[in-house]
Structures are given as structure tokens and as C-alpha cells.
Amino acid sequence: MIKTIIITGANSGLGFAASKQILQRGNDYQIIMACRNMDKAVAARAEILQTIPAARIICLELDTSSLAKVRAFAVAFKALHLPLYGLICNAGVAGQNVTTTADGFNNIFETNYLGHFLLTQLLLPEILPGGRIITVSSDRHDLPQITWPGAQAVAHCGQDEQRDRLSYSYSKLCLDSIHVCT
Ligand SMILES: NC(=O)c1ccc[n+]([C@@H]2O[C@H](COP(=O)([O-])OP(=O)(O)OC[C@H]3O[C@@H](n4cnc5c(N)ncnc54)[C@H](OP(=O)(O)O)[C@@H]3O)[C@@H](O)[C@H]2O)c1
């Protein structure tokens, strides 16, 4: 059976490298490139096809900084009726310029953690027995200055400059708990 794996943020960096590596294993794998920018996704798909012409790749739009778009992605994926072998929660943003998303959350928190948390919840029923869910964390989740200020405090920005600067670390700390919450 073909193993379908969703990789978020698959158009560049680690997500792109992971897509390529998995597809190099052979035609038993199919990658869903879940990307916020479809032009970049299509270009990444084309680049892989140059070296692996038989690669099975589907590009689907996903923006993890929007809960509505995460839900829309889950609907679109389910409509494909593909048994899901793996989900790699890889998409991420870092940086000091924290903003508030349309959903009202710290954009780094929502992109890196909350969107992936919702995605995981929505796709759990689709995961095959023996399937895998992988979250891409960072060793910056346990910096010495990190103390847990509470979920509300890390979910929203603009209250504490120092905490806002650590948004990436907090988002990765939250991500590490996804498996506990499921
Ligand atoms: N590189 C490192 O040294 C390192 C170390 C530790 C952990 N990590 C983690 O590894 C993961 C991949 O990082 P990378 O270094 O490969 O970074 P990258 O090259 O910047 O790739 C990040 C990917 O995430 C996508 N993305 C960003 N915001 C998104 C959103 N709202 N919705 C959907 N996709 C979104 C980006 O899409 P666009 O192209 O459209 O921006 C891009 O495809 C991240 O979770 C990062 O925190 C990286």
C-alpha cells in the first residue's frame, strides 16, 4: 500500500529535504506538500520531479497561522480519501517581530503550535494503525531564561516585551506537548 505523508512547510528547508529523502525511498511513498504559498509548493514539486520523475507529490494549501485554513486543509485532504500514514508538523516561523493573527493569537504561537495542534486533532482519525506523527521542535525550547508563564500569556503578544522576544522558544515548548494532549 502507498504510504501517504503530509509535510507542513514542505516547500523549503527541512520540509523540502524531508520530502525529497522520503520520495527517494521509492514509489511506495506519496507526499502531500502542505504549504501556504502554492506557487512555491508547485515550484518545489517541480524541482523534486526533476530528480525523481516518478515521485508521487500532491500540493495542498495550508496556512497554520489561521484556524479556518487549517480546517479547510483537513476537509480538502479528507476529500482525497487517502489513508494517512504520516503527519510531519514542520512549518515554522521565528524572529522578534511578533504580531497578532486574525484569530487573535501571537503569530509565532499560532503558526508553530496552535495550527499544528488543531491539524493533528483533525487528522488523528485518518492516521493508519502504526502511522506516525512527528513534530519538529528546537533545542531553543529549554533556554535557561524560559519559565512557564501560563498558556494565556504565551498565546497572546503585546503584554511583555521579554516574553514576546521568546515567542519562538515558547511555541516550541508547547509543541513538545502535542503528543500528551492527544
Ligand atoms: N533550521 C534550523 O536550524 C532549525 C533548528 C531547529 C528547529 N527548526 C525547525 O524546523 C522547521 C523547519 O525550519 P527550516 O529551517 O526548514 O525553515 P524554513 O526554510 O524557513 O522553512 C519553514 C517552512 O515553514 C513554512 N511556513 C511558515 N509559516 C507558515 C504558515 N503560517 N503556514 C504554513 N507554512 C508556513 C514556510 O513557508 P514559506 O516558504 O511560504 O515561508 C517554509 O516552507 C521549523 O519548525 C523550525 O522551527 C529549524
Side-chain angles (χ1 to χ4, degrees), residues 13-106:
L14 299 178
F16 179 74
S19 302
K20 216 169 164 180
Q21 289 244 340
I22 291 168
L23 290 164
Q24 276 164 345
R25 292 181 176 203
N27 226 8
D28 291 347
Y29 291 90
Q30 170 160 261
I31 297 294
I32 308 290
M33 298 184 112
C35 304
R36 64 176 167 177
N37 181 316
M38 291 309 280
D39 289 341
K40 288 186 185 178
V42 169
R45 177 178 181 273
E47 190 178 331
I48 293 178
L49 287 173
Q50 278 180 359
T51 47
I52 316 169
R56 300 173 191 272
I57 308 169
I58 296 171
C59 299
L60 275 189
E61 190 172 349
L62 170 68
D63 183 343
T64 57
S65 71
S66 159
L67 299 180
K69 288 182 180 174
V70 170
R71 290 186 190 283
F73 172 87
V75 169
F77 174 73
K78 288 176 187 177
L80 296 175
H81 300 292
L82 295 171
L84 184 59
Y85 175 72
L87 169 62
I88 303 181
C89 297
N90 163 79
V93 283
Q96 307 275 315
N97 296 325
V98 189
T99 58
T100 296
T101 65
D103 293 321
F105 294 104
N106 172 320

